[in-house]
Amino acid sequence: MLYIWIVISFVAILIDALTSSFLFFSFAIGGIGALITLMFNASMPFQIIIFMILSIISIIFAAPYVRKAINKNPPAFKPMEQNYIGRILTSQEDITEKTQIKYEGIYWYVINHGEPIKEGDRFKIKSIEGNKLVVEKYKEES
């Protein structure tokens, strides 16, 4: 019976490691409990009862944690470029309708949806369309 409890515990841990379900880990706990009772020369029916009781108890106590871990949503991935939206920059050159600028070491095509931006004027990045930054002249609010 020694090998049966070892195999049950090992297989349960292996399945959990491969599937990340945390359900079979409870059977490993039951198998370890039965293995301990075997060391004290307990009878086979008593080992099976201990296995079942410990497995059921660990499933009951582990279920809320497993549900919480499974239902947990990972944080939304936000591309680096999305952080550019809303930034206010100073123009290094005139921007009429479409031009190319260098921002944070990357060359971007810029589309101006508003009045022309002169060199030295401030502009705001409104959105990103593909590989183009959509900008408009920034007007200070008083």
Side-chain angles (χ1 to χ4, degrees), residues 3-4 12 17 19-20 25 37 40 42 55-56 58 76 78-79 83 85 91 121 128 141:
Y3 297 114
I4 292 175
T19 63
S20 301
F25 187 73
T37 60
F40 291 108
S55 296
I56 291 170
S58 63
K78 190 175 182 182
N83 293 326
I85 297 173
S91 177
D121 286 347
I128 298 176
E141 295 177 14

Side-chain angles (χ1 to χ4, degrees), residues 4-142:
I4 292 175
W5 296 126
I6 291 173
V7 168
I8 288 174
S9 298
F10 179 75
V11 169
I13 291 171
L14 184 65
I15 290 172
D16 262 353
L18 295 175
T19 63
S20 301
S21 66
F22 299 111
L23 175 68
F24 293 94
F25 187 73
S26 299
F27 296 114
I29 291 173
I32 292 169
L35 191 60
I36 291 171
T37 60
L38 176 67
M39 290 182 353
F40 291 108
N41 294 323
S43 66
M44 173 104 95
F46 186 72
Q47 293 173 33
I48 293 171
I49 290 171
I50 292 297
F51 171 77
M52 290 175 23
I53 289 172
L54 288 177
S55 296
I56 291 170
I57 288 173
S58 63
I59 286 173
I60 290 170
F61 284 111
Y65 298 110
V66 171
R67 266 191 239 110
K68 185 187 278 186
I70 289 173
N71 291 334
K72 191 179 215 181
N73 292 331
F77 176 71
K78 190 175 182 182
M80 177 184 71
E81 293 82 14
Q82 292 298 318
N83 293 326
Y84 296 166
I85 297 173
R87 290 196 182 172
I88 299 168
L89 309 171
T90 303
S91 177
Q92 303 299 321
E93 59 187 81
D94 292 346
I95 303 172
T96 51
E97 290 181 17
K98 185 176 179 183
T99 191
Q100 189 177 29
I101 65 168
K102 185 175 183 181
Y103 177 60
E104 291 191 359
I106 301 170
Y107 286 98
W108 290 91
Y109 281 105
V110 176
I111 300 172
N112 182 11
H113 286 305
E115 60 184 270
I117 301 169
K118 304 289 184 199
E119 183 178 345
D121 286 347
R122 297 178 75 194
F123 65 93
K124 184 175 186 177
I125 300 174
K126 299 298 282 181
S127 65
I128 298 176
E129 292 177 2
N131 63 347
K132 298 171 188 73
L133 298 176
V134 178
V135 300
E136 69 179 23
K137 190 170 186 177
Y138 180 70
K139 296 177 180 144
E140 302 267 345
E141 295 177 14
S142 313

